[in-house]
Amino acid sequence: MQQVEGRFRPEIQALRAIAVGSVVLYHLWPNRLTGGYVGVDVFFVISGYLIIGHLLRETEKTRRVDLAGFWARRVRRLLPASTLVLVATAIATFVWVPQVQWVQYFHEFAASAVSVQNWVLSASSIDYLGADDAASPVQHFWSLSVEEQFYIAWPLIVLGVLALPRRRRGISPARRVFFVLAGITAVSLVLSVVMTITSPSTAYFDTTTRAWELGLGGILAFVTFGRHKPRREVAASMSWVGLAMIAAALFFFTEATPFPGWTALLPVVGTMLVIAAGTPHIWWSPTHAARLPRVQWLGGISYSLYLWHWPILTIVPFALDHPLGFKSKLAVIVLSLVLATLTKRFVEDPARTMPALTDRRPLVSVVAGVATAVLVLGMSTSVAAATNATNEARADAMRSSLSEQRPCVGALAVGDPDCADPNRPNALTVPGVARSDIGKGVAVDDPCKQGLTQTDVMTCRIGDTEQPVKRIALVGDSHAGQYLLPLDRYGKQHRIEFVTYLKSYCAGLGIPGIAAANNGQPATVTSCATWGASVQRDILRSTDVQAVVFTNYTRAYTDAPAPWRSLTADDFESVWKPLLAGGKQVVALRDDPISAEVNVPQCVAQHMDDADPCTTPLARAQLAADQDPMLRAAAAVKAPVVDVTDLFCTEGTCHTVVGGLIVYFDRHHMTAAFAETTADIVGTRIDKATTPRRDR
């Protein structure tokens, strides 16, 4: 049971029950309890109240912090159950999860083991090569990572404050620590509000934008320490108001709610009110409900239940080989409750009192915890690295075997009546290989593509770089980069040199204020405009470049987050007209369709027996011509358009397997193997479009 200063606190245990119940129900039925994710915020406030409160009291009494003892208690409280879940989930992954997902999963196992899962998810959310990954079975460890980082950092901050010389007498150690806590909390809250607007994905996972929630819990502990509770009528009213605030967030918040930011104050302040109210003894108080045995039991197993429910929810569909229905979801709840109860009884509780790990030997607990984390880290990293190396080697071997274009393989199967079932998986359909088959010019960190914030113009020359009869510039982002391999092959065969101007998250236009694809970082947006303007000047100065091909992930620039604006046809025209006036021919290479699936290789791995797996209707996969700003601009200036839609889609349906090859390594980037099979087709179309009209 939850104890604070020797007193049983049933309202805190009840809040834990509400928090974990909300998260579990949200994960199972997100459209019913749309704000269930705020359960995590309730946990943060509770942790801040208990942990910071404990350290403040210790500081006040002893003027020091028992660092080893504090960390030892945290290790015994958190590590045994989390390690058990990580190991069990890793075993289940080996047994049931397709190999195509092992690299991502085991990287996240490693991150969870050393409490940096939130940073990994934050990085993945702004990296287009990882943004479409399916949720791993340990994704929920992000919140534990935030807390554990806090448990490491906060005692060190307290020690630093205590080590500083006192400038004024009469200020107690706890009060000095409180002032620092208040400052950190205020800065974190402001940062959270700002970043929720400018970089919402980072704000959701980052420790700095979540610290204020734990900080407010600590401030509550300081303010209420040693003070009498309010009158029972007032306390009961506070408790009901707090619960109503939490309930409002649970039922009225949605995925569209800007979060955490200022909106998180609703569940956070609500939780603070419930804790501050305590357990008022009056007939209309919620204390009676909070003390119910079932509520207290659920609060008692909340940590283990939080750990178990998500791995079960994500892995059971693989084991059953079909999505979860209502009855299956109920079974997930039951299994999670059973495992949580057993873990609490046989792992959590014994670990707190194990003689070898008692407070009299705190370093034993700390060393054991570090050793365990390092062991899980090493094993997970090794599996991920070995799997990735194997997949990359197989991808290289596959591309080598396709060095000579073979009929009925990849794009060459499109429209060929001799190619039977071009969209049915066959021996070439290897999801693990496809997931690792990332070609030159695509990754964020690529020698032929400028980075997120850099503005210098960098080029690569591909194709015939010795004696070309034609030079063509290729401008755009990773969707332009995916054509480097096929255009290099075509150019070598047809005496064409391609000069590439590529930048991550940038359409290649020197227009200020345009959102940089899915990345709303101010530095990225600004650098994109600066870089684009420099590219335009460089091309105009290059007398040997006769034509410029523009292509990009067009639809990603058409729904800009505030305060940036979306890409328009006028933007393209304003960049193209000076090029046309300078004697350059402009060609629009229409963006390839995207898949509706979160990750194509992962989807195909689960549907290898389907005749045409994981398809997407064309209307959903691609912007219509009248909605595509680049195509509208091309029509306005009479620039030729190279359309490659027919390589991906037939009769209104877009495919993920074409000629045996998986088309995408994520949701919208071509695998290198498939891209290379487009060489003759795409190259010929660009060659024709860039031939002066008088020579046609």
Side-chain angles (χ1 to χ4, degrees):
M1 293 295 186
Q2 185 62 58
Q3 301 284 335
V4 178
E5 290 295 293
R7 294 184 292 108
F8 170 53
R9 298 291 300 267
E11 81 282 8
I12 291 181
Q13 204 75 310
L15 282 170
R16 290 183 184 274
I18 293 172
V20 75
S22 301
V23 171
V24 172
L25 292 176
Y26 171 71
H27 285 158
L28 287 166
W29 293 285
N31 294 326
R32 300 293 180 87
L33 193 65
T34 56
Y37 53 83
V38 304
V40 170
D41 305 86
V42 175
F43 277 128
F44 284 160
V45 177
I46 294 172
S47 295
Y49 175 78
L50 297 175
I51 300 305
I52 298 177
H54 168 79
L55 288 173
L56 285 170
R57 289 188 293 272
E58 181 180 355
T59 300
E60 185 71 13
K61 292 178 181 178
T62 66
R63 297 178 180 272
R64 57 184 291 273
V65 171
D66 180 6
L67 194 62
F70 174 82
W71 283 343
R73 288 190 294 274
R74 293 298 89 206
V75 166
R76 294 200 306 274
R77 170 71 179 91
L78 302 173
L79 197 64
S82 64
T83 302
L84 171 65
V85 172
L86 281 175
V87 172
T89 305
I91 294 172
T93 297
F94 274 119
V95 175
W96 286 300
V97 176
Q99 190 256 9
V100 65
Q101 292 174 268
W102 287 9
V103 173
Q104 176 205 344
Y105 281 17
F106 280 95
H107 273 143
E108 294 194 27
F109 290 152
S112 298
V114 292
S115 303
V116 294
Q117 172 72 333
N118 61 318
W119 296 345
V120 169
L121 292 178
S122 178
S124 296
S125 67
I126 62 172
D127 178 359
Y128 51 75
L129 299 191
D132 293 326
D133 284 340
S136 82
V138 293
Q139 179 170 296
H140 64 316
F141 270 68
W142 77 266
S143 61
L144 301 181
S145 295
V146 170
E147 290 201 22
E148 287 159 10
Q149 290 162 24
F150 178 80
Y151 297 150
I152 293 171
W154 178 244
L156 295 175
I157 293 173
V158 173
L159 284 176
V161 173
L162 295 179
L164 293 174
R166 285 187 294 173
R167 296 185 177 181
R168 293 179 57 186
R169 296 180 178 273
I171 300 180
S172 68
R175 189 173 294 275
R176 293 165 62 196
V177 172
F178 170 76
F179 289 146
V180 174
L181 171 64
I184 292 174
T185 301
V187 171
S188 174
L189 176 56
V190 171
L191 188 63
S192 180
V193 172
V194 173
M195 289 188 65
T196 297
I197 297 172
T198 62
S199 185
S201 297
T202 301
Y204 192 86
F205 294 114
D206 199 84
T207 309
T208 59
T209 55
R210 291 289 191 164
W212 67 272
E213 300 180 37
L214 293 107
L216 283 180
I219 290 173
L220 176 65
F222 180 86
V223 171
T224 59
F225 175 60
R227 290 176 172 79
H228 294 294
K229 295 289 183 183
R231 290 189 304 111
R232 60 182 186 175
E233 294 85 356
V234 175
S237 299
M238 288 171 56
S239 189
W240 279 118
V241 170
L243 290 172
M245 293 173 72
I246 296 172
L250 290 174
F251 289 101
F252 294 109
F253 282 11
T254 67
E255 289 187 355
T257 302
F259 203 85
W262 66 270
T263 56
L265 283 167
L266 187 64
V268 166
V269 173
T271 304
M272 293 172 67
L273 286 173
V274 175
I275 295 174
T279 52
H281 296 285
I282 190 171
W283 68 269
W284 50 274
S285 164
T287 299
H288 309 293
R291 288 183 176 274
L292 290 174
R294 294 294 182 187
V295 174
Q296 295 295 302
W297 166 74
L298 186 60
I301 66 168
S302 60
Y303 177 58
S304 288
L305 180 57
Y306 183 83
L307 290 174
W308 278 115
H309 84 281
W310 184 250
I312 296 172
L313 180 60
T314 53
I315 290 181
V316 164
F318 291 113
L320 298 178
D321 198 27
H322 62 73
L324 295 178
F326 180 77
K327 292 182 179 179
S328 299
K329 290 181 178 181
L330 292 179
V332 166
I333 293 177
V334 172
L335 180 57
S336 300
L337 289 171
V338 170
L339 289 176
T341 302
L342 293 174
T343 303
K344 175 73 163 55
R345 171 66 178 83
F346 295 106
V347 179
E348 282 193 65
D349 291 344
R352 295 191 188 124
T353 56
M354 188 179 299
L357 301 176
T358 58
D359 281 347
R360 288 172 295 178
R361 294 180 179 177
L363 284 178
V364 175
S365 296
V366 175
V367 171
V370 172
T372 301
V374 170
L375 179 62
V376 176
L377 169 68
M379 294 176 63
S380 300
T381 302
S382 297
V383 173
T387 304
N388 191 54
T390 300
N391 288 339
E392 288 183 349
R394 294 174 69 187
D396 290 340
M398 175 177 286
R399 289 200 298 272
S400 296
S401 70
L402 299 176
S403 58
E404 295 298 329
Q405 303 251 3
R406 299 187 304 189
C408 297
V409 173
L412 299 177
V414 176
D416 190 336
D418 294 330
C419 299
D421 297 325
N423 305 120
R424 181 182 291 277
N426 59 31
L428 294 175
T429 313
V430 187
V433 172
R435 186 67 184 92
S436 301
D437 194 18
I438 302 172
K440 181 180 179 182
V442 178
V444 172
D445 184 14
D446 187 277
C448 284
K449 185 151 57 65
Q450 188 56 278
L452 292 172
T453 59
Q454 290 73 31
T455 59
D456 294 338
V457 173
M458 56 184 292
T459 62
C460 279
R461 293 179 178 267
I462 58 174
D464 185 349
T465 59
E466 300 296 330
Q467 293 182 318
V469 297
K470 182 189 294 187
R471 284 189 177 89
I472 301 172
L474 177 67
V475 181
D477 52 20
S478 59
H479 277 219
Q482 63 189 345
Y483 287 103
L484 260 64
L485 291 176
L487 293 182
D488 183 42
R489 170 180 291 186
Y490 184 86
K492 284 182 169 66
Q493 295 171 347
H494 297 83
R495 299 185 64 188
I496 300 175
E497 181 180 54
F498 292 90
V499 185
T500 67
Y501 295 86
L502 308 175
K503 179 172 168 61
S504 297
Y505 287 121
C506 188
L509 307 180
I511 308 295
I514 298 173
N518 301 314
N519 183 289
Q521 303 288 354
T524 306
V525 175
T526 303
S527 71
C528 178
T530 303
W531 176 83
S534 298
V535 166
Q536 183 181 19
R537 289 193 297 269
D538 193 78
I539 293 174
L540 284 171
R541 287 195 299 262
S542 301
T543 57
D544 58 343
V545 171
Q546 295 103 349
V548 189
V549 176
F550 283 83
T551 188
N552 50 73
Y553 188 14
T554 311
R555 68 190 301 151
Y557 303 95
T558 59
D559 187 17
W564 317 112
R565 68 179 184 84
S566 296
L567 193 61
T568 67
D570 289 341
D571 295 323
F572 281 103
E573 290 185 53
S574 67
V575 173
W576 291 353
K577 286 178 179 178
L579 293 174
L580 292 169
K584 311 295 183 184
Q585 186 167 9
V586 171
V587 174
L589 173 56
R590 189 177 190 179
D591 191 22
D592 53 279
I594 69 170
S595 171
E597 296 300 329
V598 171
N599 187 285
V600 168
Q602 293 170 1
C603 179
V604 173
Q606 296 174 260
H607 299 88
M608 289 290 287
D609 295 330
D610 292 357
D612 191 6
C614 309
T615 60
T616 302
L618 176 59
R620 184 178 177 187
Q622 190 177 60
L623 288 174
D626 61 350
Q627 296 177 328
D628 188 317
M630 188 168 68
L631 298 191
R632 291 172 57 199
V637 301
K638 296 181 172 53
V641 173
V642 173
D643 195 339
V644 295
T645 306
D646 59 311
L647 303 184
F648 305 83
C649 312
T650 56
E651 299 179 352
T653 298
C654 297
H655 312 282
T656 59
V657 175
V658 176
L661 298 179
I662 296 178
V663 174
Y664 307 103
F665 68 76
D666 52 8
R667 194 165 67 97
H668 53 88
H669 290 96
M670 284 186 281
T671 59
F674 180 79
E676 288 210 60
T677 66
T678 70
D680 285 343
I681 303 170
V682 175
T684 299
R685 294 178 186 181
I686 290 177
D687 194 359
K688 181 179 179 181
T690 55
T691 300
R693 294 182 184 275
R694 63 178 179 273
D695 296 336
R696 293 184 188 176

